[in-house]
Amino acid sequence: MREHEALAVSTAEETPTTAAAELEEPSLYFNRELSWLLFNERVLELAEDAAEPLLERMKFLAISATNLDEFFMIRVAGLHDQEAAGIEGRTADRLEPTETIAGVRELVQEIDARQARVWREELRPGLAEYGIRVAHCAELPDGTSEEITERFRANIFPVLTPLAVAAGRPFPYISNLSLSLAVSLRDPENGHEVFARVKVPKESLGRFVEVQDGENGPYFVPLEDVIAENLEDLFPNMEILDHATFRVTRDADFEVSDEAADLVSAVESELRRRRLGEVVRVEIAAEMSDDLRAQLVAALEVEDRDVYSNEELVDFGDLMELAGLRGHQDIRDTPFSGQVRQAFAGEDNDPADVFEAIRRGDLLIHHPYDSFSASVVRFVEQAVSDPEVLAIKQTVYRTSDDSPLVPALITARERDKEAVCLVELKARFDERANITWARRLEEAGVHVTYGSPSLKTHAKAVLVVRREGEGVRRYVHIGTGNYHPKTARLYTDLGLFTCDEDITADVAEMFNGLTGYGRPGPSRKVLLAPTHLRDGIIERIQRVTEAHGEEEPSRIVMKMNALVDPACIRALYRASQAGVRVDLNIRGICCLRPGVSGVSENIRVVSVVGRFLEHSRAFAFTAGGETELLIGSADLMPRNLDNRVELVVPVESPPVRAEILDVLERCLADDANGWDLGEDGKWRRRERPAEPGEVRSVHAELMRAAIARTGEA
């Protein structure tokens, strides 16, 4: 069993006692950034888990590395900004930015070392046994050097642009996340030494060069190795003194002013600025000399604390390239495709009438166990083709190039239906794609709006208005995840189809509020951020707390990606103090400290990290024998509750409620990929039962349940 420790998460040296603890006491709150790093350690532990198939372990290693990239680009960059501005600790844990940066460095160095170890000692040799041999040039068998040279000169050399630093030649700009070779050169004629940088063009050529060996099959050689072996071609008649790989991470976050008159232009301007962001991390190969390192640190104007030494590979994220190799099914997870629920299946090859099915009762879908194309896409496509449909409105936060949903709005407009799309231009790292989609939609005549510059539209909803009889009926899909076909196969997300008059009226008013101008009034049933979602959640926690008694005990179950908001945490502490059982299923960040005597001893925090990325949000409040259940797009974080448009809706259909509550209990019971958070800030992975038949895996159980629903063996 491995324990994940929350370093520097508390300003108190001792666990608070009942007498001393105030609910705003900093020691009751874990640090947000360090809590996220502990989540990434849980991802890395799956790469270390011998029970996982080898290629899946390599995927988890790659995911761990790419997660760190975004963490530095956004979260660490924000800490640097706070430090530069002299902002003192304002978070509930009261850590200063400098203290948090120090804690981040300590944890990241441990993660880097673990990544290198598992690659060197387990994954690389294990994969070689299955013919996936990753090797450096010096490790290749005799007879391959000629092929390496030929491949370099024919395919790689023409793409390279060596840049030397000398008089009149300033240090070159190093783009974000680009891989480079730092080279030290000497002119043998005059003895002058210069520094040069060679960008490794992995974006166009791939990170690994496949080299054939007649007896053993292919080897995969890192591209930077091939370039390093042939530096004499790039710097003819120069003496190569030293070389090593490095990589730069820059501040990639940005803010758009509330005063921006043209949001598209403002976002495009910030995207251009992103390329020039401050350097927040420099990764270097462990073998880099002190002299070369000193030159880099000076040229990039960073501090030693921003430099991270990497063994084996700089950027394990590129291993995802090898994970995509064809074949090798024996070292992958068993394939699984989302199933088609009966309500969407139809009969005799005729597609189901989704609107008729929704009129019979609310419908639930749970991705990736249920097919995205056969449910959400089918809903929109029927709306587009149905002559009785008058309008289709949709939010877009993240989508993909091959998504059929956004083009469907264009088709709807061509068929003279009202088509509205709320495009979130500030969806991090999807800004360019969303701008492209927005322009295509506008050109087709779709009404496109971008919401407020100060708010991100994170709500997930599709609204369909259909003429029925002498009036109209509204249908909605409300989800916990993005309208993204690819992530719908990897992320667990819930979706509700309903034509409930109150819910659909609330969603319609949400759309009108985002496209028009006005102050939203009270909702009939839904909870919206930033207006009243936090208050609605806290009110429900308080209601359950007040109703708790020995004869009819109350209970709170919450499932989300992150729990950060201090006001919500304090409400949960008060519920625990009143004796309410609180079960939290939190994939990532948790700033609540469970198990503190007199404060949170009735709170349990469980994290499930496994084959699928847990992404759904659900909130269940039980009091007096009745349970109120909500699902939606929001995590309980200040950014979601204050700075985003979020939509959370009640689930009232008994069969739908029963299925979601069953999912929550399965998540809490998972002992295949479940971790428990302790009072000491350590995440402890649950021990799997010795008998395979007794192991509880929510992902395996729900895959089996989905297949059983379709009657397939």
Side-chain angles (χ1 to χ4, degrees), residues 489-549:
R489 294 192 291 270
L490 300 172
Y491 293 13
T492 71
D493 274 304
L494 299 166
L496 177 71
F497 292 94
T498 185
C499 58
D500 178 273
E501 291 185 1
D502 289 335
I503 292 176
T504 57
D506 283 342
V507 173
E509 289 182 5
M510 179 194 77
F511 275 100
N512 290 341
L514 290 169
T515 59
Y517 186 78
R519 298 185 184 279
S523 297
R524 299 161 183 81
K525 288 185 178 180
V526 310
L527 296 178
L528 283 173
T531 52
H532 52 271
L533 177 53
R534 177 189 282 110
D535 290 344
I537 294 293
I538 292 175
E539 177 186 331
R540 284 160 175 79
I541 295 172
Q542 291 173 340
R543 187 186 311 154
V544 167
T545 302
E546 293 168 0
H548 176 71

Side-chain angles (χ1 to χ4, degrees), residues 426-569:
K426 303 183 295 301
R428 189 173 293 140
F429 305 122
D430 281 300
E431 301 94 345
R432 293 189 190 281
N434 286 0
I435 288 173
T436 300
W437 275 119
R439 286 178 170 153
R440 285 186 58 186
L441 289 165
E442 287 179 323
E443 289 169 0
V446 175
H447 297 300
V448 178
T449 186
Y450 309 113
S452 167
S454 61
L455 296 175
K456 285 186 178 181
T457 301
H458 193 247
K460 324 294 184 184
V462 177
L463 171 69
V464 173
V465 181
R466 188 173 188 269
R467 181 171 42 225
E468 296 183 5
E470 296 182 358
V472 298
R473 190 194 302 267
R474 289 178 287 223
Y475 300 81
V476 296
H477 169 267
I478 299 159
T480 66
N482 300 307
Y483 293 115
H484 196 304
K486 291 181 180 177
T487 59
R489 294 192 291 270
L490 300 172
Y491 293 13
T492 71
D493 274 304
L494 299 166
L496 177 71
F497 292 94
T498 185
C499 58
D500 178 273
E501 291 185 1
D502 289 335
I503 292 176
T504 57
D506 283 342
V507 173
E509 289 182 5
M510 179 194 77
F511 275 100
N512 290 341
L514 290 169
T515 59
Y517 186 78
R519 298 185 184 279
S523 297
R524 299 161 183 81
K525 288 185 178 180
V526 310
L527 296 178
L528 283 173
T531 52
H532 52 271
L533 177 53
R534 177 189 282 110
D535 290 344
I537 294 293
I538 292 175
E539 177 186 331
R540 284 160 175 79
I541 295 172
Q542 291 173 340
R543 187 186 311 154
V544 167
T545 302
E546 293 168 0
H548 176 71
E550 290 186 7
E551 294 186 0
E552 287 190 307
S554 297
R555 186 186 179 201
I556 297 170
V557 181
M558 293 183 170
K559 175 176 171 54
M560 65 195 94
N561 299 323
L563 173 59
V564 178
D565 186 66
C568 291
I569 291 174

Side-chain angles (χ1 to χ4, degrees), residues 277-522:
E278 173 197 2
V279 176
V280 293
R281 178 180 59 164
V282 181
E283 297 169 274
I284 62 172
E287 64 269 18
M288 179 178 284
S289 67
D290 291 343
D291 181 61
L292 211 49
R293 172 185 171 129
Q295 291 185 66
L296 265 181
V297 168
L300 293 170
E301 299 180 341
V302 295
E303 299 180 33
D304 284 336
R305 70 176 184 179
D306 303 320
V307 181
Y308 292 81
S309 178
N310 290 6
E311 299 176 355
E312 300 299 322
L313 282 176
V314 175
D315 187 11
F316 283 106
D318 288 330
L319 290 175
M320 197 63 79
E321 181 181 316
L322 298 180
L325 292 171
R326 292 187 177 184
H328 304 288
Q329 191 54 55
D330 50 341
I331 50 174
R332 299 183 192 275
D333 281 330
T334 303
F336 176 81
S337 297
Q339 304 295 298
V340 181
R341 293 197 180 223
Q342 186 60 42
F344 299 97
E347 297 179 358
D348 300 326
N349 296 321
D350 291 329
D353 184 336
V354 179
F355 298 137
E356 180 184 352
I358 296 172
R359 287 194 296 272
R360 290 197 298 265
D362 293 354
L363 302 177
L364 175 72
I365 50 172
H366 191 187
H367 307 303
Y369 312 105
D370 297 320
S371 167
F372 181 80
S373 60
S375 54
V376 177
V377 174
R378 172 67 192 136
F379 174 65
V380 174
E381 288 179 343
Q382 181 175 338
V384 170
S385 62
D386 188 338
E388 300 303 320
V389 168
L390 306 175
I392 305 172
K393 302 183 181 184
Q394 180 184 341
T395 61
V396 171
Y397 189 75
R398 299 189 196 279
T399 190
S400 62
D401 292 340
D402 61 350
S403 171
L405 294 183
V406 179
L409 291 177
I410 295 175
T411 304
R413 188 68 199 103
E414 291 170 348
R415 297 181 180 179
D416 295 325
K417 302 179 190 297
E418 286 296 306
V420 178
C421 191
L422 296 173
V423 180
E424 180 46 68
L425 296 183
K426 303 183 295 301
R428 189 173 293 140
F429 305 122
D430 281 300
E431 301 94 345
R432 293 189 190 281
N434 286 0
I435 288 173
T436 300
W437 275 119
R439 286 178 170 153
R440 285 186 58 186
L441 289 165
E442 287 179 323
E443 289 169 0
V446 175
H447 297 300
V448 178
T449 186
Y450 309 113
S452 167
S454 61
L455 296 175
K456 285 186 178 181
T457 301
H458 193 247
K460 324 294 184 184
V462 177
L463 171 69
V464 173
V465 181
R466 188 173 188 269
R467 181 171 42 225
E468 296 183 5
E470 296 182 358
V472 298
R473 190 194 302 267
R474 289 178 287 223
Y475 300 81
V476 296
H477 169 267
I478 299 159
T480 66
N482 300 307
Y483 293 115
H484 196 304
K486 291 181 180 177
T487 59
R489 294 192 291 270
L490 300 172
Y491 293 13
T492 71
D493 274 304
L494 299 166
L496 177 71
F497 292 94
T498 185
C499 58
D500 178 273
E501 291 185 1
D502 289 335
I503 292 176
T504 57
D506 283 342
V507 173
E509 289 182 5
M510 179 194 77
F511 275 100
N512 290 341
L514 290 169
T515 59
Y517 186 78
R519 298 185 184 279

Side-chain angles (χ1 to χ4, degrees), residues 540-541 544 555-556 558 619-623 626-628 630:
R540 284 160 175 79
I541 295 172
V544 167
R555 186 186 179 201
I556 297 170
M558 293 183 170
F619 311 90
F621 306 92
T622 299
E626 299 292 330
T627 298
E628 181 179 10
L630 307 169

Side-chain angles (χ1 to χ4, degrees), residues 98-329:
T98 302
E99 294 176 289
T100 305
I101 291 172
V104 164
R105 178 172 176 80
E106 186 173 351
L107 269 174
V108 170
Q109 286 179 314
E110 291 181 6
I111 291 172
D112 286 344
R114 286 173 58 186
Q115 289 182 159
R117 187 208 62 79
V118 72
W119 173 248
R120 177 180 61 250
E121 298 178 10
E122 299 181 32
L123 300 185
R124 186 182 172 203
L127 291 166
E129 295 180 8
Y130 289 88
I132 303 175
R133 285 173 282 269
V134 181
H136 299 286
C137 286
E139 300 166 331
L140 294 175
D142 295 338
T144 57
S145 58
E146 185 175 339
E147 181 185 352
I148 285 281
T149 301
E150 290 177 358
R151 295 283 296 278
F152 173 80
R153 290 176 177 171
N155 302 321
I156 301 171
F157 178 81
V159 183
L160 301 178
T161 304
L163 298 171
V165 178
R169 296 183 181 182
F171 190 86
Y173 172 77
I174 311 295
S175 56
N176 186 34
L177 300 183
S178 61
L179 193 66
S180 301
L181 279 173
V183 186
S184 180
L185 307 164
R186 178 189 291 134
D187 186 336
E189 292 188 1
N190 57 28
H192 288 169
E193 295 185 8
V194 299
F195 173 94
R197 176 255 185 158
V198 181
K199 181 178 179 180
V200 178
K202 63 187 181 75
E203 295 80 9
S204 56
L205 299 181
R207 177 68 184 273
F208 297 96
V209 177
E210 187 173 338
V211 178
Q212 295 297 327
D213 176 55
E215 296 183 2
N216 300 312
Y219 285 84
F220 298 93
V221 184
L223 179 58
E224 64 272 21
D225 260 35
V226 177
I227 297 171
E229 283 291 302
N230 293 275
L231 286 174
E232 293 83 358
D233 285 12
L234 283 171
F235 304 100
N237 302 314
M238 292 292 111
E239 183 181 355
I240 311 298
L241 300 177
D242 196 6
H243 65 80
T245 310
F246 73 97
R247 184 170 179 256
V248 165
T249 309
R250 293 182 178 274
D251 179 353
D253 203 9
F254 63 73
E255 294 183 3
V256 176
S257 169
D258 294 356
E259 307 300 322
D262 184 341
L263 189 55
V264 175
S265 296
V267 170
E268 288 180 319
S269 175
E270 287 298 310
L271 286 175
R272 289 190 291 271
R273 187 198 65 78
R274 176 183 279 174
R275 294 182 60 253
L276 306 174
E278 173 197 2
V279 176
V280 293
R281 178 180 59 164
V282 181
E283 297 169 274
I284 62 172
E287 64 269 18
M288 179 178 284
S289 67
D290 291 343
D291 181 61
L292 211 49
R293 172 185 171 129
Q295 291 185 66
L296 265 181
V297 168
L300 293 170
E301 299 180 341
V302 295
E303 299 180 33
D304 284 336
R305 70 176 184 179
D306 303 320
V307 181
Y308 292 81
S309 178
N310 290 6
E311 299 176 355
E312 300 299 322
L313 282 176
V314 175
D315 187 11
F316 283 106
D318 288 330
L319 290 175
M320 197 63 79
E321 181 181 316
L322 298 180
L325 292 171
R326 292 187 177 184
H328 304 288
Q329 191 54 55

